[in-house]
Amino acid sequence: MAKIPSGVGPHFPQVVVLVGATGDLARRKLLPGLFHLASAGFIPGCRIIGVSLDDLDTGSFRTFARKALDEFSTRKVLDADWNAFADALEFVPLAAGAAALKAAVENAEKSFTGESRRLHYLSVPPSAALSAVQLLGEADLVERSRIIMEKPFGTDLASAVSLNARLHAVFNEDQIFRIDHFLGKEPAQNILAFRFANGLFEPIWNRNFIDHVQIDVPETLALGKRAGFYEATGAYRDMVVTHLFQILAFMAMEPPTALEPAPISEEKNKVFRSMLPIAPSDVVRGQYTGYRAEEGIDPESDTETFIALKCSIDNWRWAGVPFLLRTGKRLAEGQRIISIAFREPPKSMFPAGSGVGAQGPDHLTFDLADASKMSLSFYGKRPGPGMRLDKLSLQFAMHDTGLIGDVLEAYERLILDAMRGDRTLFTTAEGIERLWEVSTPLLEGPPPVRLYAPGSWGPNAIHQLVAPRAWRLPFERVWRDPNRLGA
């Protein structure tokens, strides 16, 4: 196994209290992720205590965890690594209460030599989060601990303020890590490197050179088992506040004074403070045909399964630059892209029919898939006589580096950061409350939902929303295959 660089993991062994340990997220992401972090040597020592409503014992939980790894681990599970991981697993039924949980944590800590830390991961629905926080408080497990919270963080400003107040009654703000797995992806963090490390792009990252920005996260998936949650939440609360606005902050923030959690969080919060309230007239809400007929859905539901919006950042760098956001279910493709459209030259010297301007502005595009890609499009001359121009592109894929195997999955990185106390990729109470504040006009006066066909790109009104500009997706040209010779 490759040697793990020093400084990338926590200094102390960790006792992880995984609340909701038998849920879908734990099965698909958290248990495989913790297994990789422990077996690869990122954590100097790790014990995991599973907690859930299920009446299991530790042996049954270990069987559950092994099945989860066999089904969802993206890496080979070696017997020696599994045996060590299985020995670190323990289970405490929720019905056993705070005293049993406290005893299990203290017993786990005794297995370490010297100091250790606690990480509480609440892999539970929002409705159950506060009762889990109360359990941890009653078990006296607040000291030397950090707590990871899953989205959504409230459903409006009042609920977010109330939730934060009740959290702060048990945990300090610097102990709370509100997770957004989008920001845990390698490409999202690469935005910081791309923006601030390159003299080619840093000077032009502003309204003088950028015409507009698109953040586009269409999904082909339906609701699956999330119908009850989704019906009460909708696409805006589920995706925009907790994911797309966070990506927007990375795109738009000023250079931090240092590449450290506090300065980066402050610059993100400045972006949120500069955002203008979301006007309902700048929003298109959609609902795919057949949604109301699904199990658990109100036959007269007004919940949006699609949303597109235009938002503005009222500061010196971005005044007048629209940020266009789109996401939804049952759409034509599953993509996660950020596309920056540059302003076109003020005057063209090229003859009519040369092709200049025919294919839109130059774009810098980030693909936020785990195996990240970037593309820069531009006009270039077609070989041969005359002056005929075509749209060309420079493309980079993580596969090109030979380092694709070093990429941590989003949840792995975020768990590791929380263990280290690195808040760079997490949302603050101030930030989330400000986002709900700018969302208030939309939540209080939402436009009507418009139907769209499954497999489409959403309601037709999205084109009027961005006119005279156009949506970047669907792409006119597909990404080049990095595995194909000559690509």
Side-chain angles (χ1 to χ4, degrees):
M1 177 131 351
K3 179 178 172 57
I4 302 302
S6 61
V8 300
H11 296 299
F12 301 102
Q14 304 284 318
V15 176
V16 179
V17 177
L18 180 54
V19 184
T22 56
D24 194 56
L25 178 62
R27 189 168 62 98
R28 291 175 176 270
K29 295 292 184 182
L30 304 182
L31 287 169
L34 286 165
F35 170 77
H36 176 237
L37 293 177
S39 61
F42 284 99
I43 311 171
C46 185
R47 297 290 300 273
I48 300 165
I49 299 169
V51 180
S52 80
L53 290 169
D54 293 298
D55 186 18
L56 301 179
D57 58 19
T58 294
S60 300
F61 181 52
R62 289 173 178 172
T63 300
F64 173 87
R66 180 62 204 232
K67 289 180 179 178
L69 296 186
D70 289 342
E71 189 171 358
F72 296 109
S73 177
T74 58
R75 302 170 178 91
K76 185 176 178 61
V77 180
L78 301 177
D79 288 341
D81 292 335
W82 162 249
N83 291 334
F85 186 70
D87 288 342
L89 296 175
E90 189 175 348
F91 189 82
V92 176
L94 196 62
L101 179 57
K102 179 179 181 179
V105 171
E106 291 178 343
N107 184 59
E109 290 174 335
K110 290 176 183 176
S111 68
F112 300 130
T113 301
E115 289 188 62
S116 62
R117 297 289 184 268
R118 302 159 180 167
L119 181 72
H120 309 308
Y121 197 120
L122 304 192
S123 178
V124 295
S127 58
L130 286 174
S131 61
V133 169
Q134 184 179 358
L135 172 69
L136 296 170
E138 291 174 357
D140 195 23
L141 297 177
V142 176
E143 186 181 358
R144 294 181 289 108
S145 74
R146 298 180 177 113
I147 181 170
I148 296 179
M149 306 278 300
E150 280 286 337
K151 69 168 178 89
F153 317 112
T155 56
D156 54 22
L157 179 58
S159 62
V161 170
S162 175
L163 174 61
N164 284 327
R166 295 175 72 178
L167 285 174
H168 293 155
V170 181
F171 291 91
N172 296 327
E173 175 63 19
D174 62 5
Q175 294 178 283
I176 302 169
F177 290 74
R178 299 168 185 83
I179 197 167
D180 172 17
H181 69 271
F182 268 53
L183 291 189
K185 293 180 177 296
E186 195 77 37
Q189 297 164 75
N190 204 28
I191 294 169
L192 294 180
F194 197 88
R195 280 194 59 187
F196 299 126
N198 293 294
L200 177 62
F201 291 101
E202 190 280 329
I204 64 172
W205 211 266
N206 57 60
R207 61 186 174 85
N208 295 321
F209 297 94
I210 293 177
D211 180 77
H212 66 276
V213 176
Q214 294 185 26
I215 303 174
D216 211 347
V217 187
E219 297 180 292
T220 58
L221 300 174
L223 303 182
K225 299 178 180 178
R226 302 176 72 223
F229 164 80
Y230 204 86
E231 174 67 359
T233 305
Y236 184 79
R237 290 179 171 93
D238 183 43
M239 289 290 293
V240 177
V241 175
T242 50
H243 293 323
L244 273 62
F245 281 161
Q246 306 301 323
I247 294 291
L248 182 152
F250 265 31
M251 286 295 308
M253 73 185 205
E254 297 298 317
T257 55
L259 195 65
E260 296 174 357
I264 290 176
S265 292
E266 175 56 20
E267 295 304 334
K268 286 171 58 183
N269 286 341
K270 284 182 183 178
V271 173
F272 299 147
R273 290 196 291 267
S274 299
M275 286 177 64
L276 296 176
I278 306 300
S281 58
D282 288 333
V283 177
V284 173
R285 296 169 69 236
Q287 186 184 91
Y288 64 78
T289 305
Y291 171 78
R292 296 176 182 178
E294 295 190 13
E295 185 178 353
I297 302 301
D298 183 343
E300 299 181 359
S301 173
D302 190 48
T303 298
E304 79 277 359
T305 61
F306 169 97
I307 193 155
L309 65 145
K310 178 166 56 178
C311 60
S312 302
I313 300 172
D314 190 23
N315 64 15
W316 194 271
R317 182 182 293 266
W318 297 112
V321 177
F323 285 74
L324 308 172
L325 281 55
R326 176 173 64 169
T327 186
K329 301 289 187 183
R330 300 290 303 275
L331 295 175
E333 294 179 22
Q335 294 274 3
R336 295 173 178 176
I337 72 153
I338 304 168
S339 189
I340 297 98
F342 293 100
R343 293 190 181 279
E344 298 189 68
K347 182 174 174 58
S348 175
M349 66 181 186
F350 296 94
S354 65
V356 170
Q359 298 183 57
D362 299 335
H363 283 88
L364 174 64
T365 304
F366 295 87
D367 184 337
L368 297 186
D370 288 328
S372 62
K373 293 175 285 191
M374 286 184 289
S375 172
L376 178 63
S377 69
F378 56 92
Y379 283 102
K381 181 183 178 302
R382 182 186 298 178
M387 183 58 72
R388 179 71 183 173
L389 278 69
D390 289 326
K391 203 73 165 181
L392 309 173
S393 69
L394 298 172
Q395 294 189 12
F396 161 81
M398 185 63 70
H399 288 279
D400 298 338
T401 67
L403 299 176
I404 190 67
D406 294 344
V407 174
L408 287 177
E409 292 192 359
Y411 281 100
E412 295 173 354
R413 176 177 299 279
L414 292 168
I415 289 170
L416 198 64
D417 282 355
M419 288 177 173
R420 297 168 55 224
D422 186 338
R423 304 173 59 81
T424 301
L425 303 177
F426 295 86
T427 308
T428 65
E430 176 191 343
I432 201 67
E433 289 177 13
R434 172 57 183 166
L435 290 176
W436 285 122
E437 184 181 4
V438 302
S439 302
T440 298
L442 172 61
L443 299 179
E444 291 183 347
V449 293
R450 303 166 183 259
L451 295 179
Y452 65 94
S456 69
W457 285 98
N460 288 332
I462 62 172
H463 302 297
Q464 286 77 50
L465 177 70
V466 302
R469 302 170 179 89
W471 289 102
R472 189 89 166 98
L473 288 176
F475 286 132
E476 293 181 1
R477 296 177 303 281
V478 299
W479 291 95
R480 288 197 289 269
D481 183 356
N483 297 313
R484 182 168 57 84
L485 292 176

